[in-house]
Each structure stands twice: as C-alpha cells, then as structure tokens.
Amino acid sequence: MIEWNDKYNVNISVIDGDHSIFTDIINKAIVAEQHNNSEEKVKDVLKEMTMYALSHFSTEEAYMIEFGYPKLQHHKEEHHVFTIRTNAYLNRVINGDYQIAGEILEYLKQWLARHIQVTDKKYIDYFGKNGLK
Ligand SMILES: [Fe+2]
C-alpha cells in the first residue's frame, strides 16, 4: 500500500486533496491484484479512474484557463492520454479480459511519478502567483 507523502504536494489544497484520492485508487489497484484480478475489483478501480479523470482534470484545466497558463495545451494532452488509456482498459474488461490489475497498477504508479510529480509541479508557481492556495 502507498500513503500520501508530502513530496507529492503542490501546496494548493483543492489539488492536493484530489491527488490524495489518486493514491487511494493506487491502493485499490493493489487490492485488486492481490485478489487475483477479481472482476468486480478491477471494474471498481476503472470506475474510480474514470471519475477521477472527469472531476480532477477539469478542475485543473479550469484554473489553467482562468489564469491563462501557457502550458495548458501540453498539460491537457497528458490528461487526454490518461482518459484514452482508462477507456481502453474498460474496453478490455467489457470484452472479458480483466486479468489486468497489475498492468493498471503499473500505469497508475507511472502517472504518479511522471504526471503528478513532474507535470503538475510545473504549475505551482504560476497558480500561486495568481492567488490560488
Ligand atoms: Fe494534471
């Protein structure tokens, strides 16, 4: 299991709150893997990923638009890739291939390391300058 760690913080409370939900999703993927890819648990992880993408990405993007963030386009593209990937996993599950908890888990860990800890960190100063806390 992984726990929220201060190193993941962007120090903007609404966003850190969302990101801590992401670590919960990682933990659900770990549980799904431990339960031998239980269909129900894999579906649950994908449902959470879908909801997370819908709500959290639009929150971030709305601030980016509001503040005229210059890297909006690139950031949106990364979000889009996550959404596409989640849909592809869902498609596999619908087609009966749900032995994918390990694969999903690797992808989520990669997202934490490459998007949350790298791409998201790039907007901290910019959002801060625009008064977001
Ligand atoms: Fe993001």
Side-chain angles (χ1 to χ4, degrees), residues 15 19 52 56-57 60-61 64 75-76 78-79 111 115-116 119-121 123:
I15 289 166
H19 285 165
Y52 176 84
H56 171 65
F57 294 167
E60 277 189 358
E61 289 169 21
M64 288 177 198
H75 203 117
K76 269 176 85 165
E78 286 194 14
H79 286 170
W111 183 262
H115 186 84
I116 294 179
T119 310
D120 283 344
K121 292 226 156 158
Y123 61 59

Side-chain angles (χ1 to χ4, degrees), residues 93-112:
V93 166
I94 287 163
N95 289 306
D97 174 19
Y98 48 84
Q99 304 290 314
I100 57 174
E103 215 179 303
I104 295 171
L105 178 59
E106 280 318 303
Y107 184 63
L108 294 174
K109 284 184 185 166
Q110 201 186 86
W111 183 262
L112 179 63

